[in-house]
Amino acid sequence: MVDVTSDQTRTERLEWLARVYSEDGDAVRDEVADAMLVEHNPAFHVSNFAATYRPLRKFLDQQGPVTFEVTAADHAEPDRTYASFSVDGTVIFEVIVRFETNAPYRIMYWMSHPPLPAHISIRPYTPSDAPGCVALEQACPMEMLDGSQWTIDRGTYFDDYLSLMHAIDAAVAIDHAANDKVIGFFSCALRPIRYQEKDTFCVYQHHYRVHPDYRAGSVSQALATFVDPRRTFAASAAQFPYSFVDPNNAHLQHMGLPEIENVHITRLALAAPETSMGPKPALLHDHDHIATLINTAHQDRSLFIPFTAQAVAERLARVASYNPQCIFGDAEAFLGIWPVAELNVQDVDGVRTETRMHFVLDYGFTSIEALARLVGDVLASPIMEGATHLGFLCDQRAPEYPHLQTLATDEQTFAVHTLPFTQDAFAAVVYCDAIYC
């Protein structure tokens, strides 16, 4: 049975939001607390919304002052409404709004985008889209500030990258006029963390790509609106969205989320010898012991939830490419090696450099010396077959970092971008779960 009061209230909230888009700041400012659940929107300010939301700013710069009207509101879902904001009968923005499920039905979150052309659609990602997404990444090299380009080819493992993560929400943009070509991709994952002494989740935003031929349209905004990075905000109590951004990335260094200045996450590229020089380290199958080593190494780090034997088993069962045969070590240290040989291509002034990377997805140790010894054994063993480097992700403040750095031939530093109210959560060394990078 439809809750008429809820629908009427939602319509009133949408009309209020349309006035925000119309820059009717004086009229709506006093109603913010009534219309919106403010703690879910800490960065929102009526007074500067039109100036900071680029699609709206662009439209207003072209059209001057306008009045938006709500059209085609669809309240079919319990906590979500789809609507259009129009000017003189022309749809300017497609809007998705999340409401509280109980009175007073305040706005928890919303996003919008200009309408897409009829031949382009957004839909959930499926594993059959993986080849198209690999091709998309190859068509979208990351532009660095020095003019160089960096391209990632995830090959046949693209879907595994997503499936390793917890509660993935991913979408693709499809051009039906170009043989259903994948022209855009965006994904978010709920990462389990311990935050403010409570087990919860944060939203990891990643794999945001739009084909260069389509960047003048609204595909990027439509993807973000469809995925709705905080759609699980209420159900899962996710605390904040975050992403890793290479500081040298010219296009993504400013994502609208402040950088956490004291956190520098580094991916160390540890070079393997050209030929194997030693035996393969022993496999480690004791899930209880693996959990103990992880907890011993990371227990005091920010965003870390202690592992259990069951958690280890579940992690190693998520995809076939990361399994118990990937865990090497002994009583003092272990490494979980993901043997994907990811192709990384850097182009500097026309000079192409290729590296193939296996990754450390999990590690633990009782002493840094034991970890360094095991890393050296792995690098010189047949485990590295097919790869030139081993990727190792850690916080530069971590005690193992300087020891691993001596084995590295290259390193790439990432800035952590997130909401401003999470600054305190990153005061300690951050546990870098490599599955989420």
Side-chain angles (χ1 to χ4, degrees), residues 16 57 85 95 140 142 208 224 246 262 294 345 397 418 426:
W16 174 86
R57 184 180 66 211
F85 286 179
V95 188
C140 300
M142 286 168 273
Y208 206 169
D246 188 317
N262 65 317
I294 295 175
V345 179
R397 301 169 297 172
T418 188
F426 293 90

Side-chain angles (χ1 to χ4, degrees), residues 308-356:
T308 63
Q310 181 179 350
V312 171
E314 290 173 353
R315 195 169 173 98
L316 293 173
R318 201 165 287 166
V319 298
S321 58
Y322 188 56
N323 58 67
Q325 300 303 308
C326 298
I327 306 299
F328 304 91
D330 52 31
E332 296 181 299
F334 91 94
L335 293 173
I337 309 295
W338 195 29
V340 291
E342 177 190 279
L343 177 61
N344 285 233
V345 179
Q346 286 186 298
D347 190 314
V348 182
D349 296 329
V351 178
R352 178 185 172 97
T353 303
E354 294 186 359
T355 57
R356 285 197 172 271

Side-chain angles (χ1 to χ4, degrees), residues 226-247:
F226 185 92
V227 173
D228 184 4
R230 282 168 263 183
R231 68 170 53 183
T232 48
F233 221 118
S236 300
Q239 294 291 335
F240 53 88
Y242 78 102
S243 59
F244 294 121
V245 179
D246 188 317

Side-chain angles (χ1 to χ4, degrees), residues 85-150:
F85 286 179
S86 303
V87 175
D88 296 330
T90 300
V91 176
I92 308 301
F93 291 103
E94 301 287 353
V95 188
I96 178 173
V97 184
R98 281 181 58 84
F99 294 92
E100 292 177 295
T101 53
N102 300 307
Y105 307 109
R106 292 168 297 183
I107 295 171
M108 295 177 62
Y109 179 71
W110 90 90
M111 288 192 74
S112 66
H113 65 87
L116 290 169
H119 59 89
I120 294 177
S121 67
I122 310 293
R123 62 165 173 76
Y125 164 88
T126 66
S128 64
D129 295 316
C133 291
V134 170
L136 175 65
E137 283 202 306
Q138 292 173 331
C140 300
M142 286 168 273
E143 306 282 346
M144 300 304 180
L145 293 175
D146 61 3
S148 63
Q149 294 183 333
W150 176 36

Side-chain angles (χ1 to χ4, degrees), residues 290-312:
I290 292 170
T292 297
L293 287 173
I294 295 175
N295 295 339
T296 299
H298 304 289
Q299 61 186 348
D300 295 326
R301 301 188 180 183
S302 180
L303 309 186
F304 177 69
I305 292 180
F307 273 67
T308 63
Q310 181 179 350
V312 171

Side-chain angles (χ1 to χ4, degrees), residues 40 190-191 193 195 198-203 232-240:
H40 281 246
L190 278 179
R191 175 184 166 187
I193 61 167
Y195 177 70
K198 180 178 70 173
D199 289 355
T200 180
F201 299 89
C202 58
V203 179
T232 48
F233 221 118
S236 300
Q239 294 291 335
F240 53 88

